[in-house]
Amino acid sequence: MALISQDEAEVFVKRNLGLRDYENRPSDRQVFLNKVIRAFSAEIPFQNVTLLATEPANRKRPSLTEVKEAVFSGVGGLCYTTVVFLKYLLEALGFNVHFIAGSILSHPDNHLGILLKDLTHQGSTHLADANGYPTFQAIPLDFEEKSPIYNESFFEYKFMRKINEKGQKVILRLHRRGDYYGPEGELFKDGWRTFCEFNLTPRELSHFDAAMEKIYTIPYEGSPFLVGLRVVQFSMQSRMVAIKDKKLLLENEDHAVREFPLKTKEEYLSTVQKYFPQLAEGIVAALSYLKYYTDEEH
């Protein structure tokens, strides 16, 4: 049985994503697809508040039922929640989609992406992603060596073909402007840095079980999601609103990002209520787990 029915997909696209002209959607499937991908990043936050608010003994990779509930409620979650839901949503909308394995900063299978087949013509391939660095559109993979440069929001990115150390043909996602991962990731001479490596072999969802279980349960190098707080969302104009640890990040019309320190617990809670009200229920427990503002408590 499919995770999302066709009727549920139509309701989600119209109600949750705000694409109310679903019945009059463009006949061009790629145009419609890109509207869905962009709206998804605007309406569903990438966040780890839910994870941090869960008692450590109860943390685990979410079930498909939990994934569905988290996205339909607008709460969102980590890439396992956002990408998994988006894949099944696109499937219910009639697209030919598959999970593919991604490795962010060289950690195997700690990310997953969506491969779309036959979108524009028989044999075409496209890549879609929905995480803290979304693609905003389906990326055509018909380039020979390097893709065009994409400038979206405050960052620029592109893709490149490569044979990895295992002799596998992979696609690298490279970042330059807006990259905040510092010295990690392979750095190329023109300033581009490897953010993620995608293997385009279609995978069953179970392929990711072990790696994703670690992300939800074990603080380890390469996964900041149990040692710091992250919430990221983008407007339909590709402007970011985010919280990273104790800072609010706001992107202006010129796509410059300004940082605002959240100096008190009260300020933190009011900021979450203003920008991410759907996360207000779990934020107190998340801050408590991270021991943020413990000096204010009596």
Side-chain angles (χ1 to χ4, degrees), residues 210-226:
M212 290 296 162
E213 195 69 25
K214 288 182 181 179
I215 288 175
Y216 283 87
T217 59
I218 304 173
Y220 75 104
E221 184 181 355
S223 174
F225 303 121
L226 287 169

Side-chain angles (χ1 to χ4, degrees), residues 10-231:
E10 180 176 345
V11 169
F12 182 84
V13 167
K14 292 166 67 174
R15 185 189 67 189
N16 296 70
L17 300 188
L19 302 178
R20 303 194 184 281
D21 59 346
Y22 176 81
E23 288 81 2
N24 300 316
R25 58 192 179 278
S27 58
D28 187 322
R29 297 173 72 246
Q30 186 175 10
V31 171
F32 172 62
L33 169 68
N34 288 338
K35 283 188 174 184
V36 170
I37 293 173
R38 185 173 292 273
F40 192 88
S41 293
E43 298 297 334
I44 307 301
F46 175 84
Q47 56 89 7
N48 67 337
V49 173
T50 304
L51 172 60
L52 294 173
T54 302
E55 286 292 328
N58 296 328
R59 290 174 184 161
K60 61 179 179 62
R61 171 177 46 83
S63 67
L64 288 179
T65 298
E66 290 167 331
V67 164
K68 186 175 181 179
E69 291 175 351
V71 180
F72 262 98
S73 67
V75 168
L78 296 178
C79 69
Y80 189 84
T81 293
T82 56
V83 174
V84 168
F85 184 95
L86 182 58
K87 186 264 188 185
Y88 286 116
L89 173 68
L90 297 181
E91 193 170 67
L93 293 172
F95 293 96
N96 183 357
V97 288
H98 307 268
F99 292 118
I100 54 173
S103 300
I104 293 180
L105 301 178
S106 301
H107 294 276
D109 299 338
N110 68 345
H111 185 53
L112 64 173
I114 300 170
L115 182 70
L116 294 108
K117 292 186 177 183
D118 308 324
L119 175 63
T120 54
H121 58 270
Q122 189 70 28
S124 71
T125 55
H126 290 70
L127 171 69
D129 203 349
N131 62 6
Y133 278 122
T135 56
F136 299 103
Q137 61 182 293
I139 304 295
L141 301 179
D142 58 355
F143 53 87
E144 291 187 8
E145 181 183 0
K146 296 180 181 180
S147 75
I149 295 173
Y150 297 91
N151 285 281
E152 294 277 6
S153 184
F154 64 95
F155 58 96
E156 61 178 340
Y157 59 102
K158 67 178 181 180
F159 298 83
M160 183 178 78
R161 297 188 184 278
K162 183 182 178 181
I163 305 295
N164 67 13
E165 64 277 3
K166 297 179 182 179
Q168 301 168 327
K169 294 180 180 180
V170 297
I171 297 285
L172 301 183
R173 175 169 175 163
L174 308 177
H175 287 184
R176 188 162 60 182
R177 177 177 55 85
D179 175 72
Y180 63 74
Y181 276 86
E184 296 186 84
E186 180 182 3
L187 181 63
F188 294 86
K189 63 181 181 180
D190 54 358
W192 291 95
R193 188 183 306 279
T194 301
F195 171 65
C196 185
E197 175 183 301
F198 286 104
N199 185 314
L200 299 185
T201 302
R203 304 289 187 182
E204 296 296 328
L205 184 57
S206 58
H207 174 84
F208 303 94
D209 286 357
M212 290 296 162
E213 195 69 25
K214 288 182 181 179
I215 288 175
Y216 283 87
T217 59
I218 304 173
Y220 75 104
E221 184 181 355
S223 174
F225 303 121
L226 287 169
V227 295
L229 194 141
R230 301 286 189 275
V231 188

Side-chain angles (χ1 to χ4, degrees), residues 187-290:
L187 181 63
F188 294 86
K189 63 181 181 180
D190 54 358
W192 291 95
R193 188 183 306 279
T194 301
F195 171 65
C196 185
E197 175 183 301
F198 286 104
N199 185 314
L200 299 185
T201 302
R203 304 289 187 182
E204 296 296 328
L205 184 57
S206 58
H207 174 84
F208 303 94
D209 286 357
M212 290 296 162
E213 195 69 25
K214 288 182 181 179
I215 288 175
Y216 283 87
T217 59
I218 304 173
Y220 75 104
E221 184 181 355
S223 174
F225 303 121
L226 287 169
V227 295
L229 194 141
R230 301 286 189 275
V231 188
V232 185
Q233 200 162 348
F234 294 86
S235 71
M236 289 295 284
Q237 293 74 40
S238 303
R239 290 168 60 185
M240 180 187 70
V241 177
I243 297 176
K244 181 183 180 184
D245 299 325
K246 292 184 177 182
K247 293 182 291 187
L248 170 68
L249 309 178
L250 295 178
E251 181 177 353
N252 64 24
E253 294 179 357
D254 297 324
H255 298 297
V257 178
R258 296 186 62 191
E259 297 185 356
F260 301 89
L262 301 175
K263 298 178 180 179
T264 66
K265 183 177 181 180
E266 181 179 355
E267 186 178 11
Y268 210 113
L269 297 179
S270 64
T271 297
V272 170
Q273 184 63 51
K274 178 178 180 179
Y275 293 104
F276 306 103
Q278 70 271 49
L279 301 178
E281 183 177 345
I283 192 62
V284 173
L287 295 181
S288 177
Y289 171 76
L290 292 172

